[in-house]
Amino acid sequence: MSTEQRDQLITEHVGLVYHVARRYQSHHEYEDLVQAGYEGLIYAASHYDGSTGFAFSTYAVTSIRGSIQHYLRDKSSTVRIPAKLQELCSQVSVAIDELSQRHGKAPTIPAIAQHLGILEDQVLQAMDANVARSTVSTDSEDSPVIGMQSTNTALEDFEDGEAIRQALSTLPETDQTVVKLRFFANKTQTEIAEDLEISQMQVSRILTRALRELRPLLGDT
Amino acid sequence: MSIALHLPAHAAYASVARSMAATIAARCELTYDRVEDARLAIDEAFNQVITNASVNAEVVCTFIEEIGAIEFMVQSRTDLEELLPTNTFSWTVLSALADEVHNTNVDGILSVIARVQESTNAAA
């Protein structure tokens, strides 16, 4: 899909963002909800595949709702990311996924900066903010979960594999899958993002959060 | 070129090492996922070293940058008399994130050395 087609989808369906945001409006800042929803709409427009037979609006509503729910979960974390920085984060996230799809590999930081017309420092700032957003896990991220039976073999190699298994079981299901794919199946973050149909920044966020949560449970295990 | 960072051996300072690793990895023209790997790797190494650091010891993080790769060493004085075990979850994480990783314990100085590089078929 061309950039023009993507932009047209966004323009034509921006009303969906307001529609979905209104449903969460009662206890939250409407503008922030719209901002989060808009992020979901951009993501949907960038990833929509018309050959699946689903209408774009169906796909977009799911993505907008997911994005707003992510925002509400992040809002409950102890770290408050300013709206402007969150917007930068969203732009960087979309750019990473777009450039990865276009070139078949993750982009460098200078390439992301050039694509967005911003400084490399701003890209790094967005990456820092993304990690900061990973502070608290309140629920699993919305994404499909795939089976990872093969990783159980790797866990058997550890003297205290059972402790690792138990610690992993305390994580949301998606987080468990991402940890297993990265550290036991040796998949790259880009490959995991493709497999689970989530953004690469989401994978980074999940890994950071998961390791932080596992560390006190496992000690030196 | 090498860059050294001296920090207290406390988990609160891991974020400083992480940010430095990401900045240097970006300068090395690593791709996004490798920059994030470098960030996570130094976090893991930093935590392993401070867990075994002597009281009031400082941590020295040394980075070596080159095009397509970042190498770092995290060191601290330790009371540990042997090497860090490598059959742990933490070491497995570190090994998955870095292309090369090992640790040394010489004259009471514990060092974790790791290298994260761009894969040959993923040049920018």
Side-chain angles (χ1 to χ4, degrees):
Chain A
M1 181 187 300
S2 70
T3 307
E4 289 75 22
Q5 287 172 314
R6 190 200 71 168
D7 290 345
Q8 192 181 346
L9 275 179
I10 293 170
T11 307
E12 287 176 356
H13 294 84
V14 73
L16 291 175
V17 173
Y18 299 107
H19 176 72
V20 176
R22 269 196 292 276
R23 293 173 49 196
Y24 296 87
Q25 190 179 356
S26 53
H27 299 97
H28 305 282
E29 278 293 326
Y30 184 62
E31 279 184 15
D32 287 343
L33 294 172
V34 168
Q35 177 58 43
Y38 191 62
E39 183 181 335
L41 178 61
I42 293 171
Y43 185 86
S46 303
H47 292 80
Y48 177 62
D49 178 3
S51 67
T52 59
F54 287 104
F56 175 74
S57 56
T58 307
Y59 183 64
V61 165
T62 305
S63 180
I64 292 166
R65 192 184 298 132
S67 186
I68 289 176
Q69 287 171 349
H70 285 162
Y71 162 74
L72 294 174
R73 280 200 292 273
D74 286 344
K75 195 173 160 64
S76 70
S77 84
T78 53
V79 178
R80 177 83 179 105
I81 308 296
K84 276 200 165 183
L85 194 49
Q86 287 196 34
E87 190 182 336
L88 181 65
C89 228
S90 306
Q91 290 170 346
V92 169
S93 181
V94 170
I96 291 166
D97 293 339
E98 275 182 7
L99 292 170
S100 296
Q101 281 191 348
R102 190 181 302 169
H103 300 295
K105 61 191 180 235
T108 62
I109 308 308
I112 298 166
Q114 192 180 13
H115 180 74
L116 291 172
I118 60 176
L119 299 172
E120 291 174 29
D121 279 353
Q122 288 176 287
V123 179
L124 289 165
Q125 200 182 2
M127 289 167 68
D128 274 341
N130 183 54
V131 170
R133 286 170 70 188
S134 68
T135 308
V136 174
S137 166
T138 53
D139 197 358
S140 68
E141 308 245 356
D142 294 336
S143 67
V145 174
I146 61 173
M148 278 304 301
Q149 296 87 339
S150 61
T151 58
N152 292 334
T153 310
L155 285 174
E156 303 301 336
D157 296 340
F158 291 91
E159 196 175 323
D160 211 353
E162 187 53 35
I164 296 171
R165 195 174 287 109
Q166 281 182 13
L168 283 173
S169 71
T170 65
L171 301 177
E173 203 171 353
T174 305
D175 294 19
Q176 288 182 42
T177 305
V178 171
V179 167
K180 289 173 181 175
L181 285 171
R182 181 67 192 90
F183 301 126
F184 295 103
N186 250 343
K187 291 215 170 198
T188 66
Q189 292 194 25
T190 308
E191 290 168 338
I192 296 168
E194 283 171 8
D195 284 355
L196 302 186
E197 297 178 347
I198 58 179
S199 71
Q200 291 186 47
M201 283 189 107
Q202 240 178 309
V203 174
S204 301
R205 201 158 60 231
I206 289 171
L207 286 173
T208 303
R209 181 176 65 212
L211 289 177
R212 199 169 292 160
E213 290 181 6
L214 288 172
R215 195 168 287 138
L217 296 176
L218 289 169
D220 282 337
T221 299
Chain B
M1 181 193 287
S2 76
I3 299 149
L5 196 60
H6 293 248
L7 298 167
H10 190 281
Y13 292 90
S15 61
V16 180
R18 285 198 301 267
S19 291
M20 179 66 91
T23 302
I24 295 173
R27 284 174 50 82
C28 296
E29 299 182 18
L30 296 186
T31 51
Y32 169 79
D33 49 1
R34 297 265 68 195
V35 172
E36 287 295 355
D37 283 346
R39 186 204 297 271
L40 288 169
I42 198 156
D43 195 40
E44 208 59 42
F46 192 91
N47 275 285
Q48 289 198 30
V49 168
I50 63 168
T51 301
N52 295 286
S54 304
V55 177
N56 294 328
E58 71 169 8
V59 175
V60 181
C61 302
T62 308
F63 302 88
I64 298 172
E65 61 174 67
E66 59 186 85
I67 298 298
I70 178 175
E71 195 166 312
F72 66 78
M73 177 163 63
V74 183
Q75 294 182 296
S76 184
R77 185 156 289 287
T78 184
D79 298 323
L80 196 69
E81 292 182 347
E82 58 274 349
L83 291 171
L84 289 173
T86 56
N87 64 340
T88 61
F89 177 74
S90 180
W91 195 265
T92 300
V93 166
L94 194 48
S95 302
L97 293 167
D99 296 276
E100 295 169 27
V101 59
H102 66 280
N103 76 92
T104 63
N105 188 349
V106 180
D107 296 333
I109 303 292
L110 178 64
S111 307
V112 174
I113 301 117
R115 179 181 172 86
V116 177
Q117 64 190 35
E118 206 54 62
S119 62
T120 50
N121 60 351

